[in-house]
Amino acid sequence: MRFFLEVIILISMIPTSSASGPVSVTPTPQEIEMKGGAAVLSNDWSIVLDQKDSKNALTARYLADKINDRFGLILNLEDVAHPNKKNHIVLSKLSGQEHNNIGEEGYVLIASDGNISISANTQKGIFYGMQTLCQLIKKEANNITVPLLKIVDYPKIKIRAVHFSGIKPDKIKEEIEKIAQLKYNTAIIESQAYFSLGQSENRELMEEIFRYARELYIEPIPEVLSFSSAQGILVGDPYSVEGIRNENKKLKFINDIAQPEESTVGPLVNVIRDGEDEIIVRSADGKKVFSEHKDYKVIDGQISFPFSSSAVPTQIMRIQDGEIENGEEVLVSYTYFENKPSFNFPDCVATYCPSTERTYNVMTETIGNVLNILRPSYISIGHDEIRGMNRDNRCRKRNLSNAELLADDVIKLFNICKSVNPDVNVLMWNDMLNPYYNGGNADFEVQYGGLPGETYPAIDWIPKDVILMTAAYDPNKSFCLKSCDYFDSKQFNYLVAGWNNKQNIAEWSEIAKQRSNCLGIIETTWYDWEGNFENIKYAAEVSWH
């Protein structure tokens, strides 16, 4: 498959006339007709545009700045109503029916001696034509040239996205610029900064990122990390963490303090007491429940993200006039947080508890700020690889299956989003809803201290308006097709996502072009932008062409 695609790409670069060699543009244009020869640019060239159109003026200024930065040429901007007689780069809307098949993002670029034109149905198309022109301009000897040619170009896939993760916010604009040059039109931006938009510095930074993305015709999609990676919530409210219930742990009151008798059992660290999940002390035979404040008191320890195992522990002290004797053995039940890493994920990520109002108080405020301040058309709620659910007392006392718990959480977040903006599109990762992936593994939560049970049945209860992000990162077309068939059968729209394997990216691209429910393709980065940039370029190529 990879060889086949590379052959197609090479063929598409061969000019239809034989007067000149092929040009190098990424992504490769759909049609290139070489005319032979080259136009020579100089400072007496100008960019002609309709200056009454602010977006057209912005694109023209961007083009002028790029040419100046790379080649030192200073091109004046002229209004279309009063152009000079030659040496123009003309940016204009198409008229007539000559190229009505290029859609909203296509363009026609014609370079002749003394005149270069970029025309399109929309400003976005003009912007993409301008990106192609920037790649065509070369310095040869002492001349700055553009080959004489005609290009008719348009993308084959509607949504072409890059997923940003682990990138510092002050670096994101630089990366957005790079993907704009590759004609991506969407950026899914993961950031913990969404949880602190109430702070003016963070708000202004994220507003600037979103403004800049839109200026470059990139649709910015905030990914508000929630259930599966809850750092943003837990920094502010550590009691929202999904804990682990420890039932009837044997302790003995020594010097009036409940202590473990076994040296292998550690102290009560990162204990969660929030009014919903509390400590229960019973007699050694389990028949009597002692009363807090009457028989014992609790001295709360330290609990804060990232939940250090060396944090100050919680202590249980007997009350002298109570019914617990010094030296008495008791059974203590409590909820605490502990990382439960597996061999696949040695650094387990803390999840939030989907059964406490504390969680949704934070999510309601955060989602409200994101939608009201940044005003995106889409929002992602994450939800990939939920490693720790249905394991603390707050969850288990609801007697819900893993699938029911997951569905309830997705519905709550979906409704929060829609209550703020009924028109916003909600995205989430697919793996917990996919029977061929984590959702079909009945023991997925068990390895992290949770209850057994598949999560994929949740798909039958969540809103059909949720857009799924369907990921697979190894060459396995059979798996990709099965996943898409399943989501098609459930009548969900979805995006497909690759990462660091070109054959896999090509397989997803081929599928995306054939499925009506597939809205587009995502190239993920997963904390390695520089190391993955060649795959970002490759995904731009195959998703456009």
Side-chain angles (χ1 to χ4, degrees):
M1 174 59 67
R2 178 178 176 182
F3 172 77
F4 178 70
L5 282 168
E6 288 176 348
V7 169
I8 291 176
I9 292 167
L10 287 172
I11 291 173
S12 69
M13 294 174 64
I14 298 175
T16 55
S17 75
S18 59
S20 180
V23 296
S24 177
V25 175
T26 304
T28 307
Q30 303 293 348
E31 302 175 24
I32 305 177
E33 181 182 354
M34 303 300 296
K35 302 294 188 180
V40 178
L41 302 184
S42 59
N43 285 323
D44 63 351
W45 279 65
S46 59
I47 300 174
V48 177
L49 67 150
D50 181 359
Q51 296 194 10
K52 293 180 292 185
D53 187 327
S54 60
K55 294 289 284 184
N56 200 207
L58 198 63
T59 299
R61 175 50 57 195
Y62 180 96
L63 176 59
D65 289 344
K66 291 300 172 188
I67 293 174
N68 186 20
D69 290 343
R70 287 182 59 199
F71 302 105
L73 295 181
I74 300 175
L75 305 187
N76 294 322
L77 304 186
E78 297 182 8
D79 194 275
V80 68
H82 307 288
N84 292 326
K85 56 185 178 181
K86 66 174 184 176
N87 293 347
H88 296 149
I89 300 174
V90 181
L91 310 180
S92 65
K93 295 284 188 67
L94 282 167
S95 59
Q97 302 298 314
E98 182 184 0
H99 294 291
N100 59 3
N101 62 330
I102 63 174
E104 294 185 356
E105 296 185 304
Y107 62 92
V108 179
L109 188 156
I110 300 173
S112 57
D113 194 12
N115 193 318
I116 298 170
S117 67
I118 300 172
S119 51
N121 293 317
T122 66
Q123 286 298 332
K124 183 185 284 189
I126 292 174
F127 181 79
Y128 290 151
M130 180 211 69
Q131 294 291 5
T132 294
L133 177 60
C134 286
Q135 293 188 55
L136 291 171
I137 301 173
K138 305 294 181 185
K139 187 169 185 179
E140 299 178 344
N142 294 321
N143 292 326
I144 298 175
T145 65
V146 177
L148 305 185
L149 48 64
K150 177 179 179 180
I151 291 176
V152 179
D153 199 13
Y154 50 89
K156 293 288 185 67
I157 293 178
K158 182 178 179 181
I159 295 177
R160 305 172 305 283
V162 174
H163 182 271
F164 289 74
S165 58
I167 300 176
K168 294 180 179 180
D170 59 355
K171 298 292 185 182
I172 290 177
K173 284 176 63 176
E174 178 182 336
E175 314 306 353
I176 284 175
E177 165 78 15
K178 292 177 182 176
I179 69 170
Q181 293 171 0
L182 295 170
K183 304 186 180 75
Y184 281 100
N185 61 9
T186 305
I188 302 171
I189 304 171
E190 168 198 307
S191 177
Q192 298 295 347
Y194 301 125
F195 289 90
S196 53
L197 290 180
Q199 300 174 13
S200 59
E201 182 179 356
N202 280 343
R203 183 181 67 251
E204 291 168 4
L205 176 59
M206 297 310 293
E207 282 181 317
E208 172 60 17
I209 289 169
F210 275 57
R211 181 204 63 78
Y212 186 69
R214 290 168 177 139
E215 188 176 291
L216 300 187
Y217 297 92
I218 301 275
E219 179 71 39
I221 299 178
E223 182 160 273
V224 181
L225 296 176
S226 51
F227 201 166
S228 56
S229 182
Q231 175 184 340
I233 292 178
L234 303 180
V235 167
D237 187 355
Y239 291 101
S240 294
V241 72
E242 175 74 0
I244 298 174
R245 189 66 178 173
N246 200 337
E247 295 287 353
N248 296 324
K249 179 177 180 179
K250 290 183 180 181
L251 299 179
K252 184 177 182 178
F253 280 91
I254 302 173
N255 296 327
D256 296 329
I257 303 293
Q259 300 179 37
E261 293 186 272
E262 301 173 26
S263 60
T264 57
V265 178
L268 279 63
V269 177
N270 294 316
V271 172
I272 299 167
R273 295 206 322 140
D274 67 343
E276 298 176 80
D277 213 338
E278 291 296 329
I279 292 173
I280 298 175
V281 181
R282 294 181 174 88
S283 59
D285 60 9
K287 294 180 179 180
K288 180 177 180 59
V289 177
F290 295 108
S291 298
E292 186 180 358
H293 306 302
K294 178 183 176 183
D295 300 316
Y296 66 91
K297 64 179 180 179
V298 177
I299 302 172
D300 289 315
Q302 181 186 43
I303 181 168
S304 61
F305 184 85
F307 307 108
S308 169
S309 60
S310 60
V312 176
T314 294
Q315 290 187 327
I316 302 172
M317 178 176 289
R318 80 179 189 92
I319 295 175
Q320 297 289 337
D321 296 333
E323 297 188 22
I324 301 175
E325 299 293 333
N326 195 30
E328 183 173 349
E329 292 183 350
V330 293
L331 302 177
V332 178
S333 299
Y334 61 96
T335 295
Y336 72 108
F337 176 80
E338 178 187 354
N339 277 324
K340 285 283 188 179
S342 73
F343 68 93
N344 286 323
F345 300 101
D347 298 316
C348 182
V349 178
T351 62
Y352 66 45
C353 177
S355 299
T356 175
E357 289 186 13
R358 310 175 77 102
T359 290
Y360 299 101
N361 289 339
V362 176
M363 290 304 297
T364 296
E365 179 182 3
T366 299
I367 290 172
N369 284 339
V370 168
L371 295 182
N372 286 324
I373 294 171
L374 302 177
R375 300 196 174 279
S377 298
Y378 298 79
I379 183 171
S380 167
I381 57 173
H383 279 62
D384 57 319
E385 298 170 353
I386 300 172
R387 303 194 289 273
M389 62 184 291
N390 218 359
R391 64 187 193 180
D392 73 17
N393 200 44
R394 293 169 294 186
C395 283
R396 291 188 177 181
K397 69 185 180 183
R398 296 175 70 189
N399 293 316
L400 297 179
S401 69
N402 290 344
E404 289 171 327
L405 199 65
L406 174 60
D408 180 69
D409 172 77
V410 173
I411 291 168
K412 284 177 182 174
L413 296 182
F414 181 87
N415 289 338
I416 291 170
C417 293
K418 291 293 185 176
S419 69
V420 180
N421 179 2
D423 297 323
V424 74
N425 298 287
V426 179
L427 292 82
M428 66 176 286
W429 291 103
N430 86 106
D431 60 290
M432 304 305 293
L433 301 172
N434 190 333
Y436 311 113
Y437 205 172
N438 295 331
N441 181 357
D443 292 328
F444 187 79
E445 297 304 329
V446 174
Q447 61 188 321
Y448 305 112
L451 296 177
E454 298 164 327
T455 56
Y456 79 88
I459 198 170
D460 290 325
W461 304 316
I462 69 173
K464 296 292 185 186
D465 290 347
V466 174
I467 299 171
L468 305 177
M469 296 181 287
T470 308
Y473 302 136
D474 297 317
N476 188 342
K477 191 173 182 181
S478 174
F479 171 84
C480 296
L481 289 172
K482 283 195 305 184
S483 298
C484 292
D485 286 343
Y486 180 72
F487 295 131
D488 284 341
S489 73
K490 295 295 182 179
Q491 300 179 329
F492 278 85
N493 288 328
Y494 51 88
L495 296 159
V496 297
W499 179 22
N500 59 358
N501 183 283
K502 288 183 171 61
Q503 182 179 337
N504 167 253
I505 294 167
E507 289 171 353
W508 273 134
S509 178
E510 180 184 356
I511 290 169
K513 293 168 187 174
Q514 298 171 352
R515 301 274 176 147
S516 59
N517 284 0
C518 184
L519 305 180
I521 188 168
I522 305 167
E523 173 59 14
T524 60
T525 57
W526 299 127
Y527 305 94
D528 186 18
W529 173 273
E530 293 299 332
N532 202 51
F533 192 69
E534 286 303 310
N535 291 311
I536 293 172
K537 290 172 65 176
Y538 182 78
E541 179 68 58
V542 296
S543 64
W544 181 277
H545 206 269

